[in-house]
Amino acid sequence: MTKNILKYEEKIEEIIAELTIEEKAAMCHGNGLFRTEGVKRLNIPPMKMADGPMGVRNEFPDDSWVPIGYSDDYVTYLPCSLALAATWNKDLAYKSGQVLGNEARGRGKDIILGPGINIIRSPLCGRNFEYMSEDPYLTGEMAVPFIKGVQEDNDVSVCVKHFAVNNQETERLNVEAIVDERTLREIYLPAFEKAVKEGNAYSIMSAYNKLYGYHCSHNKELLEGILREEWGFDGIIVSDWGAIHDTELAANAGMDIEMNVTYNFDDYFFANPLIKAVKEGRVKEEVVNKKIRRILRLMYKLNIFSEERKRGTYNAPEHRQLTLDVARESIVLLKNENNVLPLKDTKIKTLAVIGENANIAHSNGGGSAEIKSLFEITPLLGFNMRLGGETKVKYAKGYSADVSIKEQLINEAVELAKTSDAVIIVGGLKHTAEDLQLENNALSVTKDEEIKRRIDSEGYDKTDLNLPYEQDELIKRVLEVNKNAVVVMLSGAPIDMSEWIDEANAVVQTWYNGMEGGRALAEVIFGDVNPSGKLTATFPRKLEDSPAHKLGEFPGGETVNYGEGIFVGYRYFSTYDVNPLFAFGHGLSYTEFKYDNLEILISEKPDDIDVLVKFKVTNIGEVDGAEVPQVYVSDLEASVERPKIELKGFDKINLKIGETKEVEIKLDKKALAFYNVEDKKWTVESGKFKVLVGRSAQDIRLEKDINIASNYKF
């Protein structure tokens, strides 16, 4: 146990002996939308929670989803998890966690509900922006430092979510994920295992969906078997809000705290029904006592009973600086033909900024990810701040939900583009649907269908990859009059660019990028910052190219069949030779990098394998820059079907003009293994493997075969 909790065990047992079953139950369920009940007579306070991880959500009353509305809950708005992962920078992940933990404690919270580390299975999932990647290795490597940052020195717990196989919003409360054991182990569980074993996460949130016939909150094999017994998790398990449907099943499966979206707190499954179940012998009181032990242990870990507990703070200047640092490194340069970018501000007297997303704040949307941000710099504001009074920045909305003015908006944008020295189009998606004017226009779809088409949000999955509101037509017509117009896509997931990607010379991907997102975008476009972001999810050319839609199902009905198995994301595209629009790991720079001198050293031990991958990277361009070398592994002689390549290591390095650095990335037996369903063990088979080093899953620069002499099972 961490933080010397053993010394509190005697005290914990004394408290449990004093508690009535009514008091125990009160500690195990919500008695407010974001808090449990304490035990005043024993000086046990409630556990206070808040949504994250893009920031600490605004305050609600105990019994209403209408925000309190005071001015004291404005906070730092962090870039979304997908943006953070796009930095491929573990140090920034740690520092982001530090900021979130510090702000959560500053707001008086004990548990921050994040990070979300579910796998991006389909580009349509409405919560992809809250997750990190389609790849379990990258997700785990970025989640672990984030978790440590939140919990270390902040007296705050993460609540890693959503455990497990929660990859869609459609029918999320009841849909059953049909996934085979190997796929579960290789794709959907590894990041959670790292969060527990390496991140030492204090709290886990169970998912809504069913797995192997049971809701995850009722799933004893998942919660007790895998999470506690196999991985050694000693923290608390919190239900997603409304994820429990049965008192006995959830209580006996290892669930600790039930939360919900309703206000009938005494009727929660872990409230009066739990008391009744214990008194009738359907749930043993010792089962409840185990929950109380875990809750009290967490309280001691967080110094809740100590007068020296950390205070924390929020809206600190250094927190805002961190959001800028992350936003700068998250932006991905997708395309830059003829070196259109960076734009030269000295040559631009008039800049046309086109697109509704240039002038929208995104912090207040997305469902539970919404943030009451202290401020938010939009792209339009960022461009104006960057260019100052010497350049005239003119704005045209370009598109809107109101189709009755579509042609007018496009014409205005095209005319502005004709008369400007440079043009930046900012399109994409957004979080909210507050501006829908469907009652007054000619759209033939329902409001709910239109919402699904256009937003990244909890509660909705998109129905296609298309840009909403005739953005494709807008972009094409602007490119006709200015072929060097810079196209910026602002979204939390891949979108279809096929109608105009060949005509666009410069394309930039940005995200829901925090309170400083507009400033960071301007700095990248005008060359103050050399872009270094890399995609963490494959951008397909069309939806049917995505494996969940080609080989599996999405979103299914009562069940959803994960027929693609382990071939998720780039694993599918590389193995089946499907050419993506932009590959996993892709991201250009304003400089060029050369890779050479690949050397691989192998040391086989009785219980492990040490593979040291060494190579050199040189900045051969004309500006300083950062690069993310990626190491992939291919099993050339496997007895089972395996992906053509799998990411197993990466680093982020800064290189000045002409500078060379030697990169060393260590691999172990897990990097070479697959999960063997016959003996329930990870397995490395002797034989030939290929180690590949590149800039993306599609841009491999170096490769070398290696031989493993022995077999390993673990």
Side-chain angles (χ1 to χ4, degrees):
M1 296 180 189
T2 59
K3 287 199 172 182
N4 204 18
I5 298 301
L6 282 172
K7 68 180 181 181
Y8 299 115
E9 288 299 297
E10 186 175 339
K11 178 62 176 175
I12 288 172
E13 294 306 314
E14 291 175 1
I15 294 173
I16 291 174
E18 286 284 324
L19 291 169
T20 67
I21 184 59
E22 289 78 11
E23 290 168 334
K24 293 172 184 175
M27 294 175 64
C28 292
H29 72 84
N31 200 46
L33 291 176
F34 287 96
R35 71 168 180 87
T36 62
E37 184 61 279
V39 182
K40 290 182 179 179
R41 71 179 185 89
L42 296 179
N43 296 316
I44 300 174
M47 292 284 281
K48 298 176 182 177
M49 310 176 194
D51 276 315
M54 294 164 68
V56 188
R57 198 176 182 185
N58 53 265
E59 293 294 332
F60 293 94
D62 282 339
D63 58 354
S64 172
W65 285 100
V66 178
I68 291 175
Y70 297 155
S71 63
D72 60 348
D73 55 357
Y74 288 94
V75 295
T76 302
Y77 167 36
L78 292 158
C80 67
S81 295
L82 191 60
L84 175 61
T87 70
W88 294 62
N89 188 324
K90 299 174 192 177
D91 183 56
L92 283 182
Y94 176 76
K95 290 177 179 177
S96 294
Q98 284 183 311
V99 167
L100 184 63
N102 198 242
E103 297 227 342
R105 186 80 285 278
R107 285 273 304 280
K109 309 303 179 186
D110 305 308
I111 300 175
I112 190 75
L113 304 175
I117 60 171
N118 294 106
I119 295 300
I120 298 175
R121 176 178 178 248
S122 163
L124 300 184
C125 177
R127 298 186 84 167
N128 282 340
F129 72 96
E130 292 188 62
Y131 305 142
M132 291 185 170
S133 176
E134 67 189 23
D135 181 71
Y137 176 80
L138 176 58
T139 300
E141 289 296 293
M142 294 298 287
V144 166
F146 184 89
I147 292 165
K148 290 180 176 179
V150 170
Q151 294 186 163
E152 289 178 2
D153 302 320
N154 282 317
D155 289 341
V156 169
S157 172
V158 296
C159 190
V160 181
K161 60 187 186 182
H162 308 85
F163 189 64
V165 200
N166 186 176
N167 309 105
Q168 65 185 63
E169 293 299 283
T170 306
E171 299 296 332
R172 62 178 178 166
L173 296 180
N174 290 296
V175 69
E176 180 171 1
I178 307 299
V179 54
D180 67 85
E181 184 180 9
R182 183 181 170 201
T183 299
L184 181 70
R185 292 288 183 165
E186 292 192 15
I187 303 296
Y188 297 102
L189 293 187
F192 285 100
E193 184 175 5
K194 276 188 176 180
V196 169
K197 291 183 175 180
E198 298 178 28
N200 190 29
Y202 295 161
S203 174
I204 300 287
M205 182 188 293
S206 64
Y208 282 125
N209 54 284
K210 293 177 182 176
L211 183 64
Y212 300 141
Y214 291 91
H215 282 95
C216 289
S217 297
H218 305 165
N219 197 315
K220 191 168 185 177
E221 179 184 354
L222 185 68
L223 303 184
E224 288 283 6
I226 294 175
L227 184 57
R228 295 198 195 281
E229 295 173 12
E230 186 178 327
W231 296 349
F233 177 66
D234 66 350
I236 68 168
I237 304 174
V238 180
S239 79
D240 204 341
W241 271 231
I244 291 180
H245 306 269
D246 184 281
T247 299
E248 292 175 54
L249 286 174
N252 291 319
M255 179 62 60
D256 295 313
I257 295 177
E258 177 195 9
M259 302 301 291
N260 209 327
V261 298
T262 59
Y263 320 138
N264 56 330
F265 306 116
D266 291 340
D267 297 327
Y268 282 17
F269 290 100
F270 275 15
N272 288 337
L274 179 60
I275 297 169
K276 187 172 185 285
V278 171
K279 290 182 176 179
E280 293 177 354
R282 291 179 286 114
V283 174
K284 294 180 180 178
E285 188 161 0
E286 179 53 31
V287 169
V288 181
N289 289 346
K290 288 181 179 179
K291 304 178 193 309
I292 301 303
R293 284 190 190 96
R294 291 189 285 257
I295 291 168
L296 289 172
R297 285 170 184 160
L298 178 57
M299 287 183 164
Y300 279 111
K301 285 179 182 178
L302 302 182
N303 289 316
I304 285 177
F305 300 112
S306 172
E307 295 180 357
E308 299 179 358
R309 191 179 188 194
K310 299 291 175 60
R311 287 183 173 273
T313 189
Y314 55 111
N315 293 319
E318 58 269 26
H319 294 180
R320 299 195 284 273
Q321 180 61 48
L322 184 278
T323 69
L324 179 58
D325 293 341
V326 173
R328 285 167 169 165
E329 292 198 28
S330 75
I331 295 169
V332 182
L333 180 59
L334 295 176
K335 187 176 180 182
N336 194 23
E337 298 293 327
N338 303 320
N339 294 319
V340 169
L341 291 174
L343 298 181
K344 308 297 189 294
D345 54 4
T346 56
K347 297 181 179 180
I348 301 172
K349 294 302 180 182
T350 303
L351 172 68
V353 178
I354 296 168
E356 187 183 37
N357 251 357
N359 194 37
I360 289 180
H362 295 279
S363 56
N364 62 344
S368 61
E370 67 183 17
I371 301 299
K372 190 174 176 180
S373 181
L374 183 64
F375 63 82
E376 180 176 350
I377 298 175
T378 64
L380 181 59
L381 176 56
F383 298 140
N384 272 288
M385 290 167 59
R386 169 61 179 76
L387 293 171
E390 287 302 298
T391 298
K392 181 117 181 124
V393 178
K394 295 184 178 181
Y395 171 68
K397 189 173 184 179
Y399 64 90
S400 160
D402 188 349
V403 297
S404 66
I405 58 172
K406 179 196 78 170
E407 197 65 25
Q408 172 191 335
L409 293 178
I410 292 178
N411 288 337
E412 289 173 354
V414 170
E415 289 305 310
L416 180 59
K418 287 179 180 178
T419 59
S420 299
D421 298 321
V423 179
I424 302 173
I425 307 167
V426 184
L429 304 173
K430 58 182 185 179
H431 283 321
T432 61
E434 296 171 354
D435 63 337
L436 289 177
Q437 302 172 18
L438 303 180
E439 297 82 6
N440 301 318
N441 63 33
L443 284 177
S444 60
V445 297
T446 67
K447 182 174 181 179
D448 192 58
E449 288 174 334
E450 178 61 20
I451 290 172
K452 288 180 181 179
R453 244 190 227 172
R454 62 165 295 213
I455 67 171
D456 290 316
S457 178
E458 178 188 14
Y460 299 97
D461 290 324
K462 294 183 287 294
T463 52
D464 54 49
L465 293 178
N466 299 337
L467 284 168
Y469 312 134
E470 309 297 337
Q471 288 185 62
D472 288 325
E473 183 178 347
L474 167 70
I475 294 169
K476 287 188 292 185
R477 286 177 57 180
V478 171
L479 288 172
E480 286 174 1
V481 300
N482 189 322
K483 64 180 181 180
N484 287 330
V486 178
V487 182
V488 176
M489 286 290 102
L490 194 162
S491 67
I495 50 90
D496 187 349
M497 306 181 194
S498 59
E499 287 198 32
W500 45 264
I501 190 65
D502 291 338
E503 282 70 45
N505 285 327
V507 183
V508 175
Q509 175 68 43
T510 191
W511 320 94
Y512 306 114
N513 225 347
M515 62 201 314
E516 294 279 359
R519 186 199 302 265
L521 180 62
E523 290 177 338
V524 166
I525 285 179
F526 287 95
D528 307 322
V529 171
N530 191 348
S532 63
K534 302 279 188 176
L535 295 181
T536 67
T538 306
F539 279 38
R541 290 188 177 274
K542 57 183 184 296
L543 181 61
E544 294 74 23
D545 287 344
S546 296
H549 301 266
K550 180 73 172 181
L551 304 176
E553 294 175 354
F554 188 95
E558 292 183 0
T559 62
V560 55
N561 179 31
Y562 286 48
E564 71 280 5
I566 59 173
F567 296 99
V568 176
Y570 72 89
R571 286 168 165 79
Y572 166 76
F573 284 85
S574 61
T575 303
Y576 289 87
D577 295 322
V578 178
N579 190 31
L581 183 66
F582 294 108
F584 174 87
H586 172 73
L588 303 176
S589 171
Y590 294 151
T591 191
E592 295 291 333
F593 300 99
K594 182 181 75 171
Y595 286 63
D596 58 15
N597 288 60
L598 175 61
E599 182 182 4
I600 302 176
L601 305 176
I602 305 171
S603 174
E604 294 196 43
K605 305 172 184 177
D607 61 347
D608 204 355
I609 310 168
D610 290 336
V611 179
L612 179 61
V613 182
K614 300 168 64 176
F615 53 92
K616 292 181 179 180
V617 181
T618 304
N619 182 347
I620 59 173
E622 299 179 354
V623 292
D624 299 345
E627 173 66 328
V628 181
Q630 303 154 40
V631 174
Y632 297 86
V633 170
S634 177
D635 188 342
L636 301 178
E637 299 177 354
S639 62
V640 297
E641 190 176 27
R642 299 192 67 178
K644 187 175 181 179
I645 58 171
E646 296 179 84
L647 180 73
K648 296 300 178 182
F650 65 90
D651 197 3
K652 188 158 196 176
I653 55 174
N654 293 290
L655 293 168
K656 295 187 179 300
I657 301 170
E659 183 179 9
T660 298
K661 284 186 178 178
E662 183 171 74
V663 180
E664 294 188 357
I665 293 178
K666 296 179 180 178
L667 309 179
D668 59 12
K669 62 185 179 184
K670 192 66 176 285
L672 306 177
F674 65 89
Y675 185 78
N676 190 321
V677 296
E678 293 182 0
D679 55 18
K680 313 295 185 187
K681 291 183 180 295
W682 289 92
T683 300
V684 180
E685 296 176 329
S686 60
K688 186 181 293 185
F689 292 77
K690 186 182 293 291
V691 176
L692 309 98
V693 179
R695 302 196 66 207
S696 77
Q698 205 175 31
D699 185 1
I700 301 300
R701 300 297 179 90
L702 305 168
E703 58 182 65
K704 184 171 289 189
D705 291 350
I706 62 172
N707 284 287
I708 301 300
S710 303
N711 296 301
Y712 297 81
K713 290 185 181 292
F714 53 98

